[in-house]
Amino acid sequence: MSQSTPEEPEVTAAGIARLAGVGRAAVSNWRRRYPHFPQPVGGTEASPTFALADIEEWLRAHGKLAEVPLRERVWQQIETDPEGPAAALARAGATLLASGDEDDEPPTPLHRLAGELGGAGAAFGFLLTRYFDASPRAHTRTPAPAADLMAALAAATARPGAVLDPACGSGELLAAAQRTAAPPAPAHQGTRAARSRAADAGGGLRLYGQETDPDLARLTALRLTLCAAPRPAAVQVRTEDALRTAPAEQPAVDAVLCHPPFNERHWGHDELAYDARWEYGLPARTESELAWVQHALARLRPGGVAVLLMPPAAASRRTGRRIRAALLRRGALRAVVALPAGAAPPHSLPLHLWVLRKPDGVTPAEPRLLLLDTSTRYQPDGREPLPWDALADTVLTAWRAFADGAKVPEEPGVCGTRPVIDLLDDDVDLAPARHLPPLPGAGDAAALAGTRAELARTLRRSLDLTPDPTPAPDPTPAPGETTTGRWTLTTVGELLRAGALQVRAGGAEGAPAVTRAGDIVIPVQGRGAAYVVDADTAGQTLAKPLYLLRPEPYALDPWFVAGFLRSTANTRQASSYASSASRLDVRRLHLPRLDLDGQRRYGAHFRRLAAFEAALRLAGELGARLVQGVYDGLTDGSLEPGDSPDQAPR
């Protein structure tokens, strides 16, 4: 391999693909086809690196790159730093923090990036997001909606001045505490320097974190300092194991937010057996989550509030029943909220939120426990995101009323309070679903009759829309045409270069990909199929791993494009398998070359197929609802068996 100078940044094959907007397979193909492609200067045989300047020159010379974007140039310098990306990112954050947001554009690429993105915090946030995206399995990150709900619960009765996350990771919960404490932004914020001065002057919040990874602790501290407006009065992220660090010499805080690691067997059970924090009982070796609960209470000032994300088993495991009972008797545990599956990692579990208050020795213990089960109302369907605004409003409204001593309206299956004395049985099972009455109307005859009628209409529509396959004649290509089967083909990449459509990646930095009617959305990872956006669903911001294709109406019919993109053979040839999961290279997808009238003919048929598919999906949902409703009605006594299988529910 040839040698590069120490100052010269290097780039991997994945970085080259990102610069050129192609898949990694295309980069491998260039290396094989073109003898003048730059030679590796480092790395390994399996993962070589190339001189960034040489790659830029080659891409530009071959028309594959007009200019390397500034953000890509800066990220490549971070990613290929000899000391590692974490160390390089920490240095970049320290540089931005020292220089601040200047109105005059500095000469360094890092400061130019800050000017381009709107400030030092935006620049560091972009680089930090890239860093986490490059190693998604290395750090468990609490999604922003769940983090915001936790922070709002902690601040519902009194805005905290000091907040701690004893397992802070990348700082998602502390960042949520910042957002909760931040005042609304004014309509006119002035220059970047003025915004920076206002941010420095407006922060009164003190943030404390504990994290075992020193690199992550440093990056989190920089994130919390740089990316917030207003900036906090103090940020301290200590590199330490929270459970193995006695809290005696650390300041008491007003609120604790925590998403602790679950199911840890080696959390310190043996060496911490006589720790003063276990005033509610020594946690069992298998109950690490209850150790985190008591650590949170030990760090609170009297009357302070803690909100923890907990696995559902922590509410019912027999090994933890004595600690749960002690938390209830002393009034420390105030609420248990069951969330829908997918709210936070691990996404397969319907996690719980525990809201706790440290007893102050003056206020009598609360004789009741607030229980909420949002999983019964806000079930995700796997296609749409959780309706977090409505979910958070339900939880916060109930918690504010309960914390203020007001009567909490009972809602069967969703919300209610229960006397602590009734929960102190042999199991002390605190799962909300065990104590809330079932949802009403599960077996209501009138409602089920309406569901049955809607199902019948949907089934009839499905029959009307059932496609009738018509065989096509044998293909007869014209002389000199290149065809596959009966088609003369083009690719999405060629149509993109010709200006016939635009391609946008969901979750990309900068301007978000917002859908319009007539756009085509296609997932590039996992399951799912391309679909056309209609007027009712337009205006959504796409996240990863979705791509948006926006065809020009004069050149392409959207239903024609979406239909051919769903072809099994098409997606198979455009997929790569660089890892255990496949990824679709959108630009390699094929489309037939047809005039607009021919496209519309196929598009009309694809549109009818989509309607047939939607009717089948709705019929399945209605059928499942009807079946479960009849089961529930027969078992709770609101229905009785009919005289024949064809008889409607009575």
Side-chain angles (χ1 to χ4, degrees), residues 68-247:
V68 179
L70 177 61
R71 62 185 65 189
E72 295 295 341
R73 184 187 299 275
V74 175
W75 170 244
Q76 291 298 338
Q77 292 174 345
I78 296 290
E79 187 179 35
T80 60
D81 189 272
E83 296 183 22
L89 188 53
R91 290 199 308 272
T95 299
L96 291 169
L97 184 61
S99 60
D101 295 342
E102 300 295 338
D103 289 328
D104 296 329
E105 186 179 276
T108 67
L110 180 62
H111 287 87
R112 290 205 306 273
L113 180 65
E116 179 181 289
L117 296 182
F124 187 74
F126 161 75
L127 296 172
L128 192 64
T129 299
R130 275 290 179 87
Y131 173 72
F132 287 134
D133 287 346
S135 53
R137 295 184 180 180
H139 314 292
T140 298
R141 304 175 67 190
T142 308
D148 287 338
L149 174 58
M150 294 173 67
L153 285 168
T157 54
R159 180 163 293 180
V163 181
L164 164 72
D165 183 351
C168 65
S170 56
E172 310 302 328
L173 294 177
L174 294 175
Q178 287 180 310
R179 291 192 292 270
T180 302
H188 297 285
Q189 305 210 4
T191 65
R192 289 195 300 273
R195 291 198 302 270
S196 180
R197 288 192 296 270
D200 289 331
L205 186 65
R206 301 184 305 281
L207 300 174
Y208 301 97
Q210 294 172 286
E211 169 56 43
T212 57
D213 184 337
D215 288 333
L216 191 55
R218 188 179 181 190
L219 293 176
T220 297
L222 286 167
R223 172 197 181 179
L224 296 172
T225 305
L226 276 169
C227 301
R231 287 182 177 169
V235 172
Q236 182 185 86
V237 181
R238 298 168 59 137
T239 303
E240 58 191 11
D241 185 327
L243 293 184
R244 289 182 168 88
T245 303

Side-chain angles (χ1 to χ4, degrees), residues 552-639:
E552 294 293 342
Y554 69 85
L556 295 170
D557 178 82
W559 288 98
F560 161 80
V561 175
F564 275 93
L565 294 188
R566 288 191 58 169
S567 160
T568 301
N570 201 359
T571 55
R572 184 184 296 122
Q573 64 83 28
S575 296
S576 60
Y577 300 88
S579 63
S580 58
S582 64
R583 183 177 180 86
L584 193 67
D585 186 344
V586 174
R587 290 168 176 79
R588 290 173 54 189
L589 289 166
H590 289 154
L591 290 170
R593 294 183 183 273
L594 293 179
D595 59 28
L596 201 54
D597 289 338
Q599 293 179 32
R600 288 170 177 161
R601 178 168 170 263
Y602 276 90
H605 204 78
F606 288 139
R607 190 168 191 163
R608 184 180 176 89
L609 278 176
F612 174 61
E613 183 179 44
L616 289 178
R617 187 184 303 114
L618 178 59
E621 295 171 358
L622 292 170
R625 190 190 311 168
L626 179 62
V627 167
Q628 189 59 51
V630 174
Y631 269 116
D632 293 343
L634 291 172
T635 55
D636 67 17
S638 59
L639 298 178

Side-chain angles (χ1 to χ4, degrees), residues 153-399:
L153 285 168
T157 54
R159 180 163 293 180
V163 181
L164 164 72
D165 183 351
C168 65
S170 56
E172 310 302 328
L173 294 177
L174 294 175
Q178 287 180 310
R179 291 192 292 270
T180 302
H188 297 285
Q189 305 210 4
T191 65
R192 289 195 300 273
R195 291 198 302 270
S196 180
R197 288 192 296 270
D200 289 331
L205 186 65
R206 301 184 305 281
L207 300 174
Y208 301 97
Q210 294 172 286
E211 169 56 43
T212 57
D213 184 337
D215 288 333
L216 191 55
R218 188 179 181 190
L219 293 176
T220 297
L222 286 167
R223 172 197 181 179
L224 296 172
T225 305
L226 276 169
C227 301
R231 287 182 177 169
V235 172
Q236 182 185 86
V237 181
R238 298 168 59 137
T239 303
E240 58 191 11
D241 185 327
L243 293 184
R244 289 182 168 88
T245 303
E249 298 180 359
Q250 300 177 18
V253 297
D254 303 305
V256 173
L257 304 175
C258 187
H259 181 179
F262 298 160
N263 301 320
E264 281 197 334
R265 293 299 184 103
H266 305 290
W267 56 268
H269 175 270
D270 294 337
E271 61 264 40
L272 298 174
Y274 300 100
D275 196 286
R277 285 171 289 182
W278 315 143
E279 59 178 293
Y280 299 91
L282 173 64
R285 191 184 303 275
T286 56
E287 293 283 358
S288 62
E289 298 85 9
L290 295 181
W292 286 101
V293 166
Q294 295 189 75
H295 174 78
L297 287 168
R299 291 297 307 272
L300 286 171
R301 62 164 178 77
V305 176
V307 184
L308 284 84
L309 261 173
M310 302 284 281
S316 56
R317 280 191 296 241
R318 289 188 61 81
T319 49
R321 65 188 187 278
R322 292 187 179 180
I323 294 178
R324 293 195 297 270
L327 291 168
L328 289 174
R329 287 192 186 99
R330 296 185 56 184
L333 182 58
R334 306 293 305 281
V336 177
V337 181
L339 298 175
H347 293 288
S348 59
L349 290 178
L351 300 183
H352 289 179
L353 287 177
W354 285 24
V355 185
L356 303 108
R357 178 182 179 274
K358 184 169 184 174
D360 57 12
V362 177
T363 307
E366 173 60 48
R368 301 182 74 84
L369 179 73
L370 175 65
L371 297 167
L372 291 115
D373 189 358
T374 61
S375 65
T376 60
R377 174 180 287 181
Y378 303 106
Q379 290 285 359
D381 61 6
R383 184 182 177 96
E384 298 294 333
L386 289 172
W388 270 102
D389 289 344
L391 186 152
D393 183 66
T394 298
V395 174
L396 289 171
T397 299
W399 168 245

